[in-house]
Amino acid sequence: MDQIMAGDGGFPLETWFWEMPICTRWWTTATVVMSGLVQCKLLTPFQLFYSYRAVFQKSQYWRLVTTFLYFGPFSIDLLFHVYFLQRYARLLEESSGRSPAYFSWLLVYAMTSLLLLSPFVSMPFLGHPLSSTLVYIWSRRNPDTLMSFLGLVVFRGPYLPWVLMGVSFVLHGTVPRDEIMGVVVGHIWYFFNDVYPPLHGGSRPLDPPMWWRRLFEGRPREEETANGMNNELAAAAAEVAPPEVR
């Protein structure tokens, strides 16, 4: 019995769940719950996929979210997708800092981009492209990380998306459009957050706006606000001060 319980008195699965950052935690939970509801026949996949006509003509707005949450019925394939989802989402969210504002803004950007691309590639479910986006961003930010495929092939982080594409092509015999969509959307984010700023004076056009950060972080702390006001007053005094008499 002691082996089942974690060291802090909780089950290992419970400890693993609560250690996940908040966005990754609830995205993983919603994914498993959605598959469970379909498995129990409380929902059908036809109620979950994204369709422009269903969303904007029939006002079925929930499809804008559920298309990212359904990966299929309970199976080994679902476990594979959930593993990649929570692993790389967690790594990116933890590296983005204590506030979920930055990672949640990344999700908003990726989801919006994939919804715009979906009609051009006829892809109704977008959960896999979204997780592929996160895998690509992580791989580019970890170029020296060594990875292994089935213990046979060792490669560095940036090759991970291409290895997954190759595996998908071998298993399904079709061009992995979902992986390609994820790479395209992920590369745009990576470029404007990691390549573009050093070349343009630190400008980061895809950072979350201040109003979005306030939703998660609240108003700036009092000392930061006071420091900002003091700096503004000092600058104003310098402008109106008379020149020194020599």
Side-chain angles (χ1 to χ4, degrees), residues 45-65:
F46 296 102
Q47 297 173 291
L48 306 176
F49 70 87
Y50 171 70
S51 164
Y52 181 89
R53 182 171 177 270
V55 172
F56 297 104
Q57 295 184 12
K58 297 185 178 181
S59 301
Q60 297 177 0
Y61 298 113
W62 67 84
R63 295 177 183 269
L64 294 171
V65 177

Side-chain angles (χ1 to χ4, degrees), residues 68 106-118 129-130 132-134 136-137 177-193 206:
F68 296 101
L106 164 58
L107 293 180
V108 169
Y109 153 79
M111 293 167 69
T112 303
S113 301
L114 292 171
L115 287 170
L116 294 175
L117 291 174
S118 176
L130 181 56
S132 297
T133 299
L134 303 183
Y136 179 84
I137 296 172
R177 294 174 299 169
D178 47 3
E179 300 274 2
I180 294 174
M181 287 174 64
V183 166
V184 171
V185 174
H187 185 73
I188 294 173
W189 178 271
Y190 167 75
F191 176 82
F192 282 106
N193 280 271
L206 291 185

Side-chain angles (χ1 to χ4, degrees), residues 148-238:
S148 174
F149 177 69
L150 299 179
L152 301 174
V153 180
V154 178
F155 55 91
R156 295 192 180 274
Y159 293 101
L160 177 60
W162 313 106
V163 171
L164 295 178
M165 281 189 198
V167 172
S168 178
F169 180 78
V170 170
L171 293 179
H172 302 100
T174 58
V175 176
R177 294 174 299 169
D178 47 3
E179 300 274 2
I180 294 174
M181 287 174 64
V183 166
V184 171
V185 174
H187 185 73
I188 294 173
W189 178 271
Y190 167 75
F191 176 82
F192 282 106
N193 280 271
D194 295 76
V195 179
Y196 183 88
L199 303 176
H200 296 80
S203 173
R204 306 174 66 90
L206 291 185
D207 266 7
M210 185 56 66
W211 64 267
W212 182 266
R213 292 176 57 185
R214 288 198 184 102
L215 293 176
F216 297 91
E217 302 171 3
R219 295 184 176 276
R221 293 179 299 179
E222 293 182 2
E223 57 268 21
E224 294 178 352
T225 304
N227 290 337
M229 293 178 61
N230 291 336
N231 292 337
E232 291 179 2
L233 291 173

Side-chain angles (χ1 to χ4, degrees), residues 5-78:
M5 302 296 288
D8 59 353
F11 287 98
L13 184 61
E14 179 183 359
T15 302
W16 167 80
F17 176 79
W18 290 108
E19 284 179 349
M20 282 191 287
I22 184 169
C23 294
T24 302
R25 182 193 312 157
W26 295 116
W27 184 18
T28 303
T29 302
T31 296
V32 176
V33 169
M34 197 64 63
S35 294
L37 293 175
V38 173
Q39 192 77 21
C40 296
K41 298 183 179 180
L42 298 175
L43 293 175
T44 69
F46 296 102
Q47 297 173 291
L48 306 176
F49 70 87
Y50 171 70
S51 164
Y52 181 89
R53 182 171 177 270
V55 172
F56 297 104
Q57 295 184 12
K58 297 185 178 181
S59 301
Q60 297 177 0
Y61 298 113
W62 67 84
R63 295 177 183 269
L64 294 171
V65 177
T66 57
T67 183
F68 296 101
L69 301 179
Y70 184 66
F71 286 82
F74 286 122
S75 63
I76 297 298
D77 189 55
L78 174 64

